[in-house]
Amino acid sequence: MANFHFSLGAGLGVNSAQKGGQESKNVGINLGSVVKNAVDEVTDVSQNLINIIAGGSVKSSSSDNVSVQVPYPELPALPNTYKTFSLGHGGIPESERKTAIAAATKYHESLKSNVLGSPVNFKLDFQEFSSYMDIPVFNTGDPFTENNSVINSKFMERAVLDYYAELWNAKWPHDENDGESYWGYITPMGASEANIYALWNARDYLSGKLSAAEAGIFKHVAENSNAYNPVLLSSGSKHYSFPKGCAILGLGTVIEIPVDATGAVRIEDLTKAAEFYASQGHPIIICFNYGSTVNGAYDDVARACEALKPILEKYNLFERDLVYENEAGEIKKSIRRAGYWVHVDGAFGSSYMPFIEMAHSRGMIGAKGPTFDFRLPMVSSISSSEQKFTGVPVPTGILMSKVKFQIIADSPPEYIGGRPTLSGTRNGLAPMLLWNSIARNSYDDKIKKALAIQETAEYMEKKLRNLQDIDVKRNPLSLTLRFKCPNNDICKKYSLWADNVNGSFYTNVFAMEHVSKELIDALFEDLSAPDAFKR
């Protein structure tokens, strides 16, 4: 019963420094301690500023004071960037290697306290895992199938997936023989991979693909040539991973649905598009946003599904019989499947809003977001990005669907076993870091955290609205604030991006756990300067 110790339930909320009444010891080497003495040797960042010259070429001072031409941008806060980190043929002197590491450490440490323009949680403590810098932990293929690649963390990955299955009201634990049971995996590249996997899964499911063994025997037949040609309907606020995924997967018909003033998909336009393509016999993929990174909008997935269901039923797409025949033309097989796929891109909201809903049910906050999860029978898959609200030091995400939707159209290598994931060998450290973050925080802890960052977002909004003519926008319960983009110096200081919207530049700030009122006040002071918005 070894897996019992990794089960997370509603979050253990344990004291990470204690285990079995004894103090845990950090058996790894702390990188910070290795380079601590070297940090003081790094040249002060206020000196040796880089001269940016015309045409994008850069001059950098070498150790003998001779200017050298370098091919890449130099970073003002990292003097002699190119020279310091150039590897040549490798095997650089130990003193130079440690000095470079110290410079990179100082550079990143100096930046992280000011980050406002990235939806990433910088309030982290994972020093207990430093020993894993010397242990390659790889998870290959299906997390529910073990293989001879024994140095993996699938036992912890399964615990994390069970946790999210319960949080998102999926049927759990995973049971391969129960089609309504959940299936999923932890991605090594955030919600982008989860979104692309969902599109891949939806394409294969709706195009009538069979398992690899059956595909060699049967082919599907249909009176309507569109019956196995899915169409994608996505929000105008969609993440950039969707067009990327469509290009990779060859999903040719992609319709962008207009959004309202908040950035949420216009349901009346969605239903019109669905009616048109359903009437032509196309199966339909619908992709919703739940906490858009750009505008913080939450699509009303429940109301949209309610509006779509009659249309799907009208055109026999809510459920349909797929008929297959063998080479002789004899009908041999009939399968009942849905003719639609509903994916929820919850990169920002799916790990945060469940705790706002819990707080609302306890009377701790006056509003909650729309329902988005597997309580809605039409939801086929959900994605999340775990470096955001949850907080881990590596990009990672979760893809979750159901057993009944999984199609193994190609035979995976025997050493993988089970279903293939989009990435082959996956980062096994990410599930361990996620497990640790969840184990430290019970549901009650997460509710307090969610309410605290909601308060931060409200403080930020109130503060920024005191500035004139910067067009502040924030949706209810959103952690994203959008306003006119300031000058480049301010953008660099707070890691803000510049988004060109019809010739006007906008930027975003995010209320994450590390964001303090003092940091917001500092931003406000910088934005109050007379030249703050001169570009």
Side-chain angles (χ1 to χ4, degrees), residues 114-117 467 483-497 507-509 522-535:
N114 275 352
V115 173
L116 279 168
L467 296 168
F483 57 94
K484 286 184 179 179
C485 191
N487 64 43
N488 199 44
D489 288 340
I490 295 175
C491 285
K492 283 185 177 180
K493 180 177 180 179
Y494 297 101
S495 298
L496 308 180
W497 69 54
T507 194
N508 287 16
V509 291
L523 173 68
F524 175 80
E525 184 175 347
D526 286 340
L527 295 178
S528 301
D531 61 347
F533 292 90
K534 289 182 180 179
R535 298 191 61 80

PDB file of all heavy atoms in Angstrom, residues 114-117 467 483-497 507-509 522-535:
ATOM      1  N   ASN A 114      10.223  41.913  -8.557  1.00  0.00           N
ATOM      2  CA  ASN A 114       9.481  42.980  -9.229  1.00  0.00           C
ATOM      3  C   ASN A 114       8.533  42.468 -10.311  1.00  0.00           C
ATOM      4  O   ASN A 114       7.924  43.276 -11.015  1.00  0.00           O
ATOM      5  CB  ASN A 114      10.448  43.977  -9.878  1.00  0.00           C
ATOM      6  CG  ASN A 114      10.917  45.037  -8.896  1.00  0.00           C
ATOM      7  OD1 ASN A 114      10.416  45.122  -7.796  1.00  0.00           O
ATOM      8  ND2 ASN A 114      11.888  45.826  -9.300  1.00  0.00           N
ATOM      9  N   VAL A 115       8.414  41.152 -10.480  1.00  0.00           N
ATOM     10  CA  VAL A 115       7.621  40.628 -11.591  1.00  0.00           C
ATOM     11  C   VAL A 115       6.131  40.870 -11.352  1.00  0.00           C
ATOM     12  O   VAL A 115       5.538  40.377 -10.395  1.00  0.00           O
ATOM     13  CB  VAL A 115       7.887  39.119 -11.799  1.00  0.00           C
ATOM     14  CG1 VAL A 115       6.921  38.561 -12.848  1.00  0.00           C
ATOM     15  CG2 VAL A 115       9.318  38.893 -12.237  1.00  0.00           C
ATOM     16  N   LEU A 116       5.535  41.650 -12.244  1.00  0.00           N
ATOM     17  CA  LEU A 116       4.089  41.901 -12.233  1.00  0.00           C
ATOM     18  C   LEU A 116       3.425  41.487 -13.540  1.00  0.00           C
ATOM     19  O   LEU A 116       2.218  41.282 -13.582  1.00  0.00           O
ATOM     20  CB  LEU A 116       3.812  43.391 -11.988  1.00  0.00           C
ATOM     21  CG  LEU A 116       3.869  43.870 -10.539  1.00  0.00           C
ATOM     22  CD1 LEU A 116       3.879  45.392 -10.484  1.00  0.00           C
ATOM     23  CD2 LEU A 116       2.701  43.323  -9.742  1.00  0.00           C
ATOM     24  N   GLY A 117       4.219  41.377 -14.606  1.00  0.00           N
ATOM     25  CA  GLY A 117       3.652  41.147 -15.926  1.00  0.00           C
ATOM     26  C   GLY A 117       3.672  39.701 -16.368  1.00  0.00           C
ATOM     27  O   GLY A 117       3.502  39.422 -17.555  1.00  0.00           O
ATOM     28  N   LEU A 467      -5.173  56.705 -11.597  1.00  0.00           N
ATOM     29  CA  LEU A 467      -4.416  57.330 -12.688  1.00  0.00           C
ATOM     30  C   LEU A 467      -5.360  57.703 -13.820  1.00  0.00           C
ATOM     31  O   LEU A 467      -6.328  56.988 -14.101  1.00  0.00           O
ATOM     32  CB  LEU A 467      -3.339  56.370 -13.198  1.00  0.00           C
ATOM     33  CG  LEU A 467      -2.243  56.008 -12.187  1.00  0.00           C
ATOM     34  CD1 LEU A 467      -1.423  54.841 -12.701  1.00  0.00           C
ATOM     35  CD2 LEU A 467      -1.357  57.216 -11.913  1.00  0.00           C
ATOM     36  N   PHE A 483      -4.171  47.584 -18.979  1.00  0.00           N
ATOM     37  CA  PHE A 483      -4.203  49.037 -19.106  1.00  0.00           C
ATOM     38  C   PHE A 483      -3.197  49.458 -20.175  1.00  0.00           C
ATOM     39  O   PHE A 483      -2.430  48.627 -20.683  1.00  0.00           O
ATOM     40  CB  PHE A 483      -3.904  49.724 -17.770  1.00  0.00           C
ATOM     41  CG  PHE A 483      -2.584  49.350 -17.150  1.00  0.00           C
ATOM     42  CD1 PHE A 483      -1.443  50.117 -17.363  1.00  0.00           C
ATOM     43  CD2 PHE A 483      -2.481  48.232 -16.340  1.00  0.00           C
ATOM     44  CE1 PHE A 483      -0.227  49.775 -16.799  1.00  0.00           C
ATOM     45  CE2 PHE A 483      -1.261  47.881 -15.763  1.00  0.00           C
ATOM     46  CZ  PHE A 483      -0.134  48.653 -15.993  1.00  0.00           C
ATOM     47  N   LYS A 484      -3.213  50.740 -20.510  1.00  0.00           N
ATOM     48  CA  LYS A 484      -2.313  51.246 -21.540  1.00  0.00           C
ATOM     49  C   LYS A 484      -0.866  51.001 -21.136  1.00  0.00           C
ATOM     50  O   LYS A 484      -0.489  51.166 -19.978  1.00  0.00           O
ATOM     51  CB  LYS A 484      -2.554  52.741 -21.770  1.00  0.00           C
ATOM     52  CG  LYS A 484      -3.845  53.030 -22.524  1.00  0.00           C
ATOM     53  CD  LYS A 484      -4.000  54.505 -22.818  1.00  0.00           C
ATOM     54  CE  LYS A 484      -5.288  54.781 -23.595  1.00  0.00           C
ATOM     55  NZ  LYS A 484      -5.463  56.225 -23.866  1.00  0.00           N
ATOM     56  N   CYS A 485      -0.074  50.626 -22.115  1.00  0.00           N
ATOM     57  CA  CYS A 485       1.298  50.205 -21.853  1.00  0.00           C
ATOM     58  C   CYS A 485       2.199  51.415 -21.574  1.00  0.00           C
ATOM     59  O   CYS A 485       2.200  52.380 -22.335  1.00  0.00           O
ATOM     60  CB  CYS A 485       1.831  49.421 -23.038  1.00  0.00           C
ATOM     61  SG  CYS A 485       3.390  48.588 -22.718  1.00  0.00           S
ATOM     62  N   PRO A 486       2.975  51.371 -20.485  1.00  0.00           N
ATOM     63  CA  PRO A 486       3.891  52.468 -20.192  1.00  0.00           C
ATOM     64  C   PRO A 486       5.164  52.369 -21.031  1.00  0.00           C
ATOM     65  O   PRO A 486       5.268  51.515 -21.920  1.00  0.00           O
ATOM     66  CB  PRO A 486       4.194  52.275 -18.701  1.00  0.00           C
ATOM     67  CG  PRO A 486       4.063  50.800 -18.487  1.00  0.00           C
ATOM     68  CD  PRO A 486       2.969  50.348 -19.434  1.00  0.00           C
ATOM     69  N   ASN A 487       6.132  53.240 -20.729  1.00  0.00           N
ATOM     70  CA  ASN A 487       7.371  53.254 -21.509  1.00  0.00           C
ATOM     71  C   ASN A 487       8.203  51.999 -21.260  1.00  0.00           C
ATOM     72  O   ASN A 487       7.944  51.215 -20.340  1.00  0.00           O
ATOM     73  CB  ASN A 487       8.175  54.532 -21.242  1.00  0.00           C
ATOM     74  CG  ASN A 487       8.653  54.632 -19.797  1.00  0.00           C
ATOM     75  OD1 ASN A 487       9.124  53.663 -19.210  1.00  0.00           O
ATOM     76  ND2 ASN A 487       8.533  55.824 -19.212  1.00  0.00           N
ATOM     77  N   ASN A 488       9.220  51.847 -22.084  1.00  0.00           N
ATOM     78  CA  ASN A 488      10.004  50.610 -22.080  1.00  0.00           C
ATOM     79  C   ASN A 488      10.770  50.400 -20.775  1.00  0.00           C
ATOM     80  O   ASN A 488      10.957  49.259 -20.322  1.00  0.00           O
ATOM     81  CB  ASN A 488      10.975  50.605 -23.259  1.00  0.00           C
ATOM     82  CG  ASN A 488      11.473  49.216 -23.581  1.00  0.00           C
ATOM     83  OD1 ASN A 488      10.704  48.261 -23.602  1.00  0.00           O
ATOM     84  ND2 ASN A 488      12.772  49.091 -23.811  1.00  0.00           N
ATOM     85  N   ASP A 489      11.222  51.473 -20.134  1.00  0.00           N
ATOM     86  CA  ASP A 489      11.955  51.337 -18.872  1.00  0.00           C
ATOM     87  C   ASP A 489      11.065  50.718 -17.792  1.00  0.00           C
ATOM     88  O   ASP A 489      11.505  49.839 -17.032  1.00  0.00           O
ATOM     89  CB  ASP A 489      12.469  52.699 -18.406  1.00  0.00           C
ATOM     90  CG  ASP A 489      13.625  53.206 -19.261  1.00  0.00           C
ATOM     91  OD1 ASP A 489      14.262  52.370 -19.937  1.00  0.00           O
ATOM     92  OD2 ASP A 489      13.879  54.423 -19.256  1.00  0.00           O
ATOM     93  N   ILE A 490       9.825  51.172 -17.723  1.00  0.00           N
ATOM     94  CA  ILE A 490       8.891  50.621 -16.731  1.00  0.00           C
ATOM     95  C   ILE A 490       8.555  49.178 -17.077  1.00  0.00           C
ATOM     96  O   ILE A 490       8.476  48.311 -16.197  1.00  0.00           O
ATOM     97  CB  ILE A 490       7.617  51.488 -16.642  1.00  0.00           C
ATOM     98  CG1 ILE A 490       7.958  52.877 -16.107  1.00  0.00           C
ATOM     99  CG2 ILE A 490       6.555  50.815 -15.765  1.00  0.00           C
ATOM    100  CD1 ILE A 490       6.792  53.848 -16.081  1.00  0.00           C
ATOM    101  N   CYS A 491       8.380  48.916 -18.368  1.00  0.00           N
ATOM    102  CA  CYS A 491       8.071  47.538 -18.790  1.00  0.00           C
ATOM    103  C   CYS A 491       9.190  46.582 -18.385  1.00  0.00           C
ATOM    104  O   CYS A 491       8.926  45.479 -17.891  1.00  0.00           O
ATOM    105  CB  CYS A 491       7.853  47.481 -20.297  1.00  0.00           C
ATOM    106  SG  CYS A 491       6.276  48.167 -20.845  1.00  0.00           S
ATOM    107  N   LYS A 492      10.437  47.012 -18.576  1.00  0.00           N
ATOM    108  CA  LYS A 492      11.564  46.151 -18.211  1.00  0.00           C
ATOM    109  C   LYS A 492      11.629  45.950 -16.703  1.00  0.00           C
ATOM    110  O   LYS A 492      11.906  44.851 -16.219  1.00  0.00           O
ATOM    111  CB  LYS A 492      12.871  46.750 -18.720  1.00  0.00           C
ATOM    112  CG  LYS A 492      13.099  46.559 -20.211  1.00  0.00           C
ATOM    113  CD  LYS A 492      14.465  47.078 -20.624  1.00  0.00           C
ATOM    114  CE  LYS A 492      14.719  46.807 -22.104  1.00  0.00           C
ATOM    115  NZ  LYS A 492      16.050  47.315 -22.522  1.00  0.00           N
ATOM    116  N   LYS A 493      11.397  47.003 -15.950  1.00  0.00           N
ATOM    117  CA  LYS A 493      11.490  46.919 -14.494  1.00  0.00           C
ATOM    118  C   LYS A 493      10.505  45.909 -13.922  1.00  0.00           C
ATOM    119  O   LYS A 493      10.841  45.165 -12.990  1.00  0.00           O
ATOM    120  CB  LYS A 493      11.243  48.305 -13.885  1.00  0.00           C
ATOM    121  CG  LYS A 493      11.330  48.323 -12.358  1.00  0.00           C
ATOM    122  CD  LYS A 493      11.159  49.730 -11.811  1.00  0.00           C
ATOM    123  CE  LYS A 493      11.237  49.745 -10.281  1.00  0.00           C
ATOM    124  NZ  LYS A 493      11.090  51.119  -9.743  1.00  0.00           N
ATOM    125  N   TYR A 494       9.281  45.862 -14.487  1.00  0.00           N
ATOM    126  CA  TYR A 494       8.238  44.999 -13.929  1.00  0.00           C
ATOM    127  C   TYR A 494       7.910  43.801 -14.831  1.00  0.00           C
ATOM    128  O   TYR A 494       6.915  43.121 -14.621  1.00  0.00           O
ATOM    129  CB  TYR A 494       6.968  45.818 -13.673  1.00  0.00           C
ATOM    130  CG  TYR A 494       7.169  46.907 -12.639  1.00  0.00           C
ATOM    131  CD1 TYR A 494       7.353  48.236 -13.030  1.00  0.00           C
ATOM    132  CD2 TYR A 494       7.218  46.601 -11.284  1.00  0.00           C
ATOM    133  CE1 TYR A 494       7.555  49.238 -12.088  1.00  0.00           C
ATOM    134  CE2 TYR A 494       7.421  47.600 -10.341  1.00  0.00           C
ATOM    135  CZ  TYR A 494       7.588  48.915 -10.745  1.00  0.00           C
ATOM    136  OH  TYR A 494       7.800  49.901  -9.808  1.00  0.00           O
ATOM    137  N   SER A 495       8.751  43.550 -15.823  1.00  0.00           N
ATOM    138  CA  SER A 495       8.561  42.420 -16.746  1.00  0.00           C
ATOM    139  C   SER A 495       7.196  42.469 -17.430  1.00  0.00           C
ATOM    140  O   SER A 495       6.465  41.473 -17.494  1.00  0.00           O
ATOM    141  CB  SER A 495       8.720  41.075 -16.001  1.00  0.00           C
ATOM    142  OG  SER A 495      10.009  40.948 -15.462  1.00  0.00           O
ATOM    143  N   LEU A 496       6.849  43.625 -17.959  1.00  0.00           N
ATOM    144  CA  LEU A 496       5.561  43.804 -18.642  1.00  0.00           C
ATOM    145  C   LEU A 496       5.738  43.594 -20.141  1.00  0.00           C
ATOM    146  O   LEU A 496       6.752  43.970 -20.717  1.00  0.00           O
ATOM    147  CB  LEU A 496       5.014  45.216 -18.401  1.00  0.00           C
ATOM    148  CG  LEU A 496       4.919  45.693 -16.952  1.00  0.00           C
ATOM    149  CD1 LEU A 496       4.346  47.111 -16.904  1.00  0.00           C
ATOM    150  CD2 LEU A 496       4.064  44.751 -16.109  1.00  0.00           C
ATOM    151  N   TRP A 497       4.733  42.994 -20.772  1.00  0.00           N
ATOM    152  CA  TRP A 497       4.773  42.880 -22.224  1.00  0.00           C
ATOM    153  C   TRP A 497       3.966  44.002 -22.850  1.00  0.00           C
ATOM    154  O   TRP A 497       3.130  44.633 -22.199  1.00  0.00           O
ATOM    155  CB  TRP A 497       4.271  41.511 -22.680  1.00  0.00           C
ATOM    156  CG  TRP A 497       2.803  41.221 -22.485  1.00  0.00           C
ATOM    157  CD1 TRP A 497       1.741  41.953 -22.901  1.00  0.00           C
ATOM    158  CD2 TRP A 497       2.243  40.076 -21.826  1.00  0.00           C
ATOM    159  NE1 TRP A 497       0.549  41.362 -22.571  1.00  0.00           N
ATOM    160  CE2 TRP A 497       0.818  40.205 -21.913  1.00  0.00           C
ATOM    161  CE3 TRP A 497       2.776  38.952 -21.203  1.00  0.00           C
ATOM    162  CZ2 TRP A 497      -0.049  39.252 -21.363  1.00  0.00           C
ATOM    163  CZ3 TRP A 497       1.905  38.019 -20.664  1.00  0.00           C
ATOM    164  CH2 TRP A 497       0.525  38.176 -20.745  1.00  0.00           C
ATOM    165  N   THR A 507      -0.870  46.573 -21.797  1.00  0.00           N
ATOM    166  CA  THR A 507      -0.100  45.594 -21.044  1.00  0.00           C
ATOM    167  C   THR A 507      -0.966  45.011 -19.943  1.00  0.00           C
ATOM    168  O   THR A 507      -2.066  45.501 -19.675  1.00  0.00           O
ATOM    169  CB  THR A 507       1.176  46.230 -20.451  1.00  0.00           C
ATOM    170  OG1 THR A 507       2.048  45.195 -20.008  1.00  0.00           O
ATOM    171  CG2 THR A 507       0.846  47.148 -19.279  1.00  0.00           C
ATOM    172  N   ASN A 508      -0.475  43.950 -19.319  1.00  0.00           N
ATOM    173  CA  ASN A 508      -1.188  43.275 -18.234  1.00  0.00           C
ATOM    174  C   ASN A 508      -0.316  43.217 -16.991  1.00  0.00           C
ATOM    175  O   ASN A 508       0.909  43.082 -17.082  1.00  0.00           O
ATOM    176  CB  ASN A 508      -1.548  41.834 -18.622  1.00  0.00           C
ATOM    177  CG  ASN A 508      -2.670  41.748 -19.635  1.00  0.00           C
ATOM    178  OD1 ASN A 508      -2.994  42.746 -20.284  1.00  0.00           O
ATOM    179  ND2 ASN A 508      -3.250  40.591 -19.778  1.00  0.00           N
ATOM    180  N   VAL A 509      -0.966  43.293 -15.841  1.00  0.00           N
ATOM    181  CA  VAL A 509      -0.322  42.934 -14.574  1.00  0.00           C
ATOM    182  C   VAL A 509      -1.195  41.877 -13.915  1.00  0.00           C
ATOM    183  O   VAL A 509      -2.410  41.824 -14.141  1.00  0.00           O
ATOM    184  CB  VAL A 509      -0.120  44.151 -13.647  1.00  0.00           C
ATOM    185  CG1 VAL A 509       0.926  45.089 -14.211  1.00  0.00           C
ATOM    186  CG2 VAL A 509      -1.431  44.894 -13.410  1.00  0.00           C
ATOM    187  N   ALA A 522       4.824  50.831  -5.623  1.00  0.00           N
ATOM    188  CA  ALA A 522       5.997  51.238  -6.411  1.00  0.00           C
ATOM    189  C   ALA A 522       5.628  51.385  -7.880  1.00  0.00           C
ATOM    190  O   ALA A 522       6.062  52.331  -8.553  1.00  0.00           O
ATOM    191  CB  ALA A 522       7.111  50.207  -6.232  1.00  0.00           C
ATOM    192  N   LEU A 523       4.833  50.451  -8.414  1.00  0.00           N
ATOM    193  CA  LEU A 523       4.358  50.561  -9.799  1.00  0.00           C
ATOM    194  C   LEU A 523       3.539  51.827  -9.974  1.00  0.00           C
ATOM    195  O   LEU A 523       3.718  52.564 -10.959  1.00  0.00           O
ATOM    196  CB  LEU A 523       3.524  49.334 -10.173  1.00  0.00           C
ATOM    197  CG  LEU A 523       2.830  49.395 -11.532  1.00  0.00           C
ATOM    198  CD1 LEU A 523       3.849  49.357 -12.657  1.00  0.00           C
ATOM    199  CD2 LEU A 523       1.824  48.253 -11.682  1.00  0.00           C
ATOM    200  N   PHE A 524       2.648  52.095  -9.037  1.00  0.00           N
ATOM    201  CA  PHE A 524       1.798  53.289  -9.113  1.00  0.00           C
ATOM    202  C   PHE A 524       2.653  54.552  -9.159  1.00  0.00           C
ATOM    203  O   PHE A 524       2.390  55.475  -9.942  1.00  0.00           O
ATOM    204  CB  PHE A 524       0.852  53.327  -7.915  1.00  0.00           C
ATOM    205  CG  PHE A 524       0.010  54.575  -7.839  1.00  0.00           C
ATOM    206  CD1 PHE A 524      -1.127  54.704  -8.627  1.00  0.00           C
ATOM    207  CD2 PHE A 524       0.358  55.617  -6.991  1.00  0.00           C
ATOM    208  CE1 PHE A 524      -1.907  55.856  -8.574  1.00  0.00           C
ATOM    209  CE2 PHE A 524      -0.414  56.765  -6.931  1.00  0.00           C
ATOM    210  CZ  PHE A 524      -1.543  56.891  -7.730  1.00  0.00           C
ATOM    211  N   GLU A 525       3.692  54.590  -8.334  1.00  0.00           N
ATOM    212  CA  GLU A 525       4.563  55.764  -8.312  1.00  0.00           C
ATOM    213  C   GLU A 525       5.263  55.944  -9.656  1.00  0.00           C
ATOM    214  O   GLU A 525       5.347  57.054 -10.181  1.00  0.00           O
ATOM    215  CB  GLU A 525       5.593  55.617  -7.190  1.00  0.00           C
ATOM    216  CG  GLU A 525       6.493  56.828  -7.030  1.00  0.00           C
ATOM    217  CD  GLU A 525       7.429  56.711  -5.841  1.00  0.00           C
ATOM    218  OE1 GLU A 525       7.210  55.808  -4.997  1.00  0.00           O
ATOM    219  OE2 GLU A 525       8.378  57.506  -5.755  1.00  0.00           O
ATOM    220  N   ASP A 526       5.733  54.830 -10.230  1.00  0.00           N
ATOM    221  CA  ASP A 526       6.401  54.923 -11.538  1.00  0.00           C
ATOM    222  C   ASP A 526       5.426  55.339 -12.634  1.00  0.00           C
ATOM    223  O   ASP A 526       5.784  56.098 -13.543  1.00  0.00           O
ATOM    224  CB  ASP A 526       7.039  53.584 -11.892  1.00  0.00           C
ATOM    225  CG  ASP A 526       8.290  53.299 -11.080  1.00  0.00           C
ATOM    226  OD1 ASP A 526       8.874  54.251 -10.527  1.00  0.00           O
ATOM    227  OD2 ASP A 526       8.681  52.114 -10.981  1.00  0.00           O
ATOM    228  N   LEU A 527       4.199  54.831 -12.573  1.00  0.00           N
ATOM    229  CA  LEU A 527       3.202  55.185 -13.584  1.00  0.00           C
ATOM    230  C   LEU A 527       2.705  56.615 -13.435  1.00  0.00           C
ATOM    231  O   LEU A 527       2.116  57.175 -14.368  1.00  0.00           O
ATOM    232  CB  LEU A 527       2.008  54.226 -13.505  1.00  0.00           C
ATOM    233  CG  LEU A 527       2.274  52.758 -13.853  1.00  0.00           C
ATOM    234  CD1 LEU A 527       0.996  51.931 -13.673  1.00  0.00           C
ATOM    235  CD2 LEU A 527       2.787  52.614 -15.281  1.00  0.00           C
ATOM    236  N   SER A 528       2.942  57.217 -12.279  1.00  0.00           N
ATOM    237  CA  SER A 528       2.510  58.598 -12.031  1.00  0.00           C
ATOM    238  C   SER A 528       3.489  59.633 -12.577  1.00  0.00           C
ATOM    239  O   SER A 528       3.187  60.832 -12.613  1.00  0.00           O
ATOM    240  CB  SER A 528       2.324  58.827 -10.524  1.00  0.00           C
ATOM    241  OG  SER A 528       1.362  57.942  -9.990  1.00  0.00           O
ATOM    242  N   ALA A 529       4.665  59.188 -12.994  1.00  0.00           N
ATOM    243  CA  ALA A 529       5.677  60.112 -13.524  1.00  0.00           C
ATOM    244  C   ALA A 529       5.178  60.743 -14.823  1.00  0.00           C
ATOM    245  O   ALA A 529       4.441  60.110 -15.594  1.00  0.00           O
ATOM    246  CB  ALA A 529       6.985  59.368 -13.767  1.00  0.00           C
ATOM    247  N   PRO A 530       5.567  61.986 -15.093  1.00  0.00           N
ATOM    248  CA  PRO A 530       5.065  62.702 -16.288  1.00  0.00           C
ATOM    249  C   PRO A 530       5.344  61.981 -17.605  1.00  0.00           C
ATOM    250  O   PRO A 530       4.559  62.068 -18.547  1.00  0.00           O
ATOM    251  CB  PRO A 530       5.805  64.046 -16.230  1.00  0.00           C
ATOM    252  CG  PRO A 530       6.184  64.212 -14.793  1.00  0.00           C
ATOM    253  CD  PRO A 530       6.440  62.834 -14.270  1.00  0.00           C
ATOM    254  N   ASP A 531       6.486  61.298 -17.686  1.00  0.00           N
ATOM    255  CA  ASP A 531       6.842  60.648 -18.942  1.00  0.00           C
ATOM    256  C   ASP A 531       6.576  59.141 -18.935  1.00  0.00           C
ATOM    257  O   ASP A 531       7.096  58.409 -19.776  1.00  0.00           O
ATOM    258  CB  ASP A 531       8.323  60.889 -19.245  1.00  0.00           C
ATOM    259  CG  ASP A 531       9.237  60.319 -18.157  1.00  0.00           C
ATOM    260  OD1 ASP A 531       8.717  59.964 -17.071  1.00  0.00           O
ATOM    261  OD2 ASP A 531      10.457  60.224 -18.386  1.00  0.00           O
ATOM    262  N   ALA A 532       5.754  58.673 -18.004  1.00  0.00           N
ATOM    263  CA  ALA A 532       5.548  57.233 -17.821  1.00  0.00           C
ATOM    264  C   ALA A 532       4.989  56.550 -19.057  1.00  0.00           C
ATOM    265  O   ALA A 532       5.267  55.369 -19.300  1.00  0.00           O
ATOM    266  CB  ALA A 532       4.636  56.979 -16.623  1.00  0.00           C
ATOM    267  N   PHE A 533       4.210  57.273 -19.853  1.00  0.00           N
ATOM    268  CA  PHE A 533       3.553  56.638 -20.998  1.00  0.00           C
ATOM    269  C   PHE A 533       4.054  57.178 -22.337  1.00  0.00           C
ATOM    270  O   PHE A 533       3.406  56.995 -23.369  1.00  0.00           O
ATOM    271  CB  PHE A 533       2.031  56.801 -20.882  1.00  0.00           C
ATOM    272  CG  PHE A 533       1.451  56.021 -19.737  1.00  0.00           C
ATOM    273  CD1 PHE A 533       1.333  56.590 -18.478  1.00  0.00           C
ATOM    274  CD2 PHE A 533       1.067  54.695 -19.902  1.00  0.00           C
ATOM    275  CE1 PHE A 533       0.824  55.867 -17.414  1.00  0.00           C
ATOM    276  CE2 PHE A 533       0.549  53.961 -18.841  1.00  0.00           C
ATOM    277  CZ  PHE A 533       0.434  54.539 -17.590  1.00  0.00           C
ATOM    278  N   LYS A 534       5.223  57.815 -22.309  1.00  0.00           N
ATOM    279  CA  LYS A 534       5.827  58.270 -23.556  1.00  0.00           C
ATOM    280  C   LYS A 534       6.591  57.108 -24.170  1.00  0.00           C
ATOM    281  O   LYS A 534       7.504  56.560 -23.572  1.00  0.00           O
ATOM    282  CB  LYS A 534       6.774  59.448 -23.291  1.00  0.00           C
ATOM    283  CG  LYS A 534       6.028  60.727 -22.910  1.00  0.00           C
ATOM    284  CD  LYS A 534       7.002  61.878 -22.700  1.00  0.00           C
ATOM    285  CE  LYS A 534       6.241  63.154 -22.321  1.00  0.00           C
ATOM    286  NZ  LYS A 534       7.178  64.280 -22.079  1.00  0.00           N
ATOM    287  N   ARG A 535       6.217  56.732 -25.395  1.00  0.00           N
ATOM    288  CA  ARG A 535       6.828  55.572 -26.050  1.00  0.00           C
ATOM    289  C   ARG A 535       7.720  56.034 -27.213  1.00  0.00           C
ATOM    290  O   ARG A 535       7.440  57.006 -27.861  1.00  0.00           O
ATOM    291  CB  ARG A 535       5.739  54.627 -26.567  1.00  0.00           C
ATOM    292  CG  ARG A 535       4.855  54.062 -25.445  1.00  0.00           C
ATOM    293  CD  ARG A 535       3.980  52.945 -25.952  1.00  0.00           C
ATOM    294  NE  ARG A 535       4.750  51.823 -26.462  1.00  0.00           N
ATOM    295  CZ  ARG A 535       5.318  50.892 -25.697  1.00  0.00           C
ATOM    296  NH1 ARG A 535       5.202  50.948 -24.390  1.00  0.00           N
ATOM    297  NH2 ARG A 535       6.018  49.916 -26.225  1.00  0.00           N
TER     298      ARG A 535
END
